[in-house]
Amino acid sequence: MSDANVSDNSAGRPSVNALASAQLATLIDEADALRVTVKKSDAGATLIDAGIAARGGLEAGRRIAEICMGGLGIVRFAPGEPALGGFTQIHVHSADPVLACLGSQYAGWSLTHGEGKAAYHALASGPGRAIARRETLFEELEYADRHHSAVFVLEVEREPPREIVEKVARDCALPAERITFILTPTRSLAGTVQIVARVLEVALHKAHALGFDLRRIVDGAGSAPLPPPAPDFLNAMGRTNDAILFGGSATLFVDSADADAQKLAATLPASASRDYGRPFAQIFKDYQYDFYKIDPMLFAPAQVLVCNLGTGKAFRGGAVDARRLAESFGV
C-alpha cells in the first residue's frame, strides 16, 4: 500500500477514516434513536443494519451519507421545490469535493464471493477504500489513508459473508475487529437518502470520465429530490437514479480556462448521454438487466453550473425534467 509518489494523511492531507470515525461513533451511540442495529459478525467486524431487518430512517441515512464522504461533506434536508413536485430536497456540499466524493463516497470497489444465485456481490463505498487502495483511481488522486480502523458502506440486502470480511481486512492490513460495514438496502429510507446524496459525487465522477483536470475543481455543491421509496429493488434503484438524472443539480467551482469550464458544463449533464430520456428502471430492463450495457455517461445530474473562479464567468448546462421525474416517482 506504500508508494513514494503518494501523499498520505501524515503529509498534511486529512485522514478520511479518522474524520468519519467520530461520526461513526455517534451513529453507534445513538443507534436506538436512529432505528439501526449494531452487532459483530462471526469474523469480528462491526455490522450496522440501517434497513435490512432494522427500520432505519431519514436521519440515519443523512448521517451515513456524511460518513460515506469521509467526514468532508455536509448533507442536509431542505424544503422541496414546487417546480419539481415539492419533494424534500437533499443538499450536499464539500470544501474538498474530489477527496470527499471520489476518494471516499464513490462506490468503486467491487466485492464478490461465490457463484450463481447464492453469490454475494457489493460495490463498496466509504473512506475505507482509501486504506485498501484496490482501485487505480487512488493513483490519480495521489492519496492513501493511514488509520487504525476502516469504515465501508454497502448497498446490499444481505450481510457480507465471512470471506468478504476477511478479504477486506487483509486488503486494509487491519484486523477484522477494526472494520465496520454499514448496510443500506436501496429500498430502505436510509438507503434512499445515502444514494441520492451522491448527486455531487456523480458530477465529480463524470467530470473525471470526461478528462477534466480534477486539480482544477476547488469546491462543489449539489442537490436532488428525495423520492418515495419503492418496496422492490428495481423500482427503488430506478427512482434513486432518476432523482439525480432528472432532478439533480450540481455547482462546481473551478480554476481553469473558460473554454474548459464551458465544455464541462455542456458535456456533464445526464442529457448528454445517448441513454437519457427514459426512466432508469426501464433502461435497465431494456438492457436485459445488464448494468454494464448502460452508457456510463448517463450517470450525472440533470443540470450543472460551472463557475470559473479565475474569470468570474459561469456556464450552465442541462435542465431538470419535472415531467419525467413525476413519471418515475409514480405521482
Side-chain angles (χ1 to χ4, degrees), residues 29 31 34 38 40 59 65 75 123 144 148 162 188 195 267 278 307 312 314 316 319:
D29 288 345
L34 296 170
V38 183
K40 288 289 186 179
E59 177 61 14
V75 180
L123 291 174
H148 57 72
R162 170 183 282 271
S188 67
I195 295 169
T267 56
R278 292 167 289 160
C307 303
R316 189 182 301 278

Side-chain angles (χ1 to χ4, degrees), residues 62-172:
R62 187 193 69 78
R63 297 193 192 191
I64 291 166
E66 291 188 339
I67 291 170
C68 201
M69 296 182 77
L72 291 171
I74 303 296
V75 180
R76 293 290 183 265
F77 297 112
E81 298 180 6
L84 286 178
F87 297 99
T88 296
Q89 290 276 311
I90 297 178
H91 286 263
V92 183
H93 71 271
S94 172
D96 194 344
V98 174
L99 183 54
C101 295
L102 298 184
S104 188
Q105 190 181 23
Y106 173 54
W109 188 13
S110 180
L111 300 172
T112 303
H113 174 73
E115 298 179 354
K117 292 183 178 180
Y120 189 90
H121 176 72
L123 291 174
S125 59
R129 294 171 45 243
I131 293 179
R133 297 185 76 246
R134 305 304 295 176
E135 306 153 55
T136 58
L137 174 61
F138 286 99
E139 297 175 12
E140 297 181 58
L141 298 178
E142 296 184 334
Y143 179 78
D145 198 7
R146 303 287 185 262
H147 193 59
H148 57 72
S149 62
V151 58
F152 298 88
V153 176
L154 304 181
E155 185 186 331
V156 292
E157 298 279 350
R158 292 186 288 150
E159 296 177 0
R162 170 183 282 271
E163 292 82 359
I164 292 290
V165 174
E166 291 176 343
K167 170 184 169 47
V168 170
R170 284 195 306 271
D171 288 346
C172 291

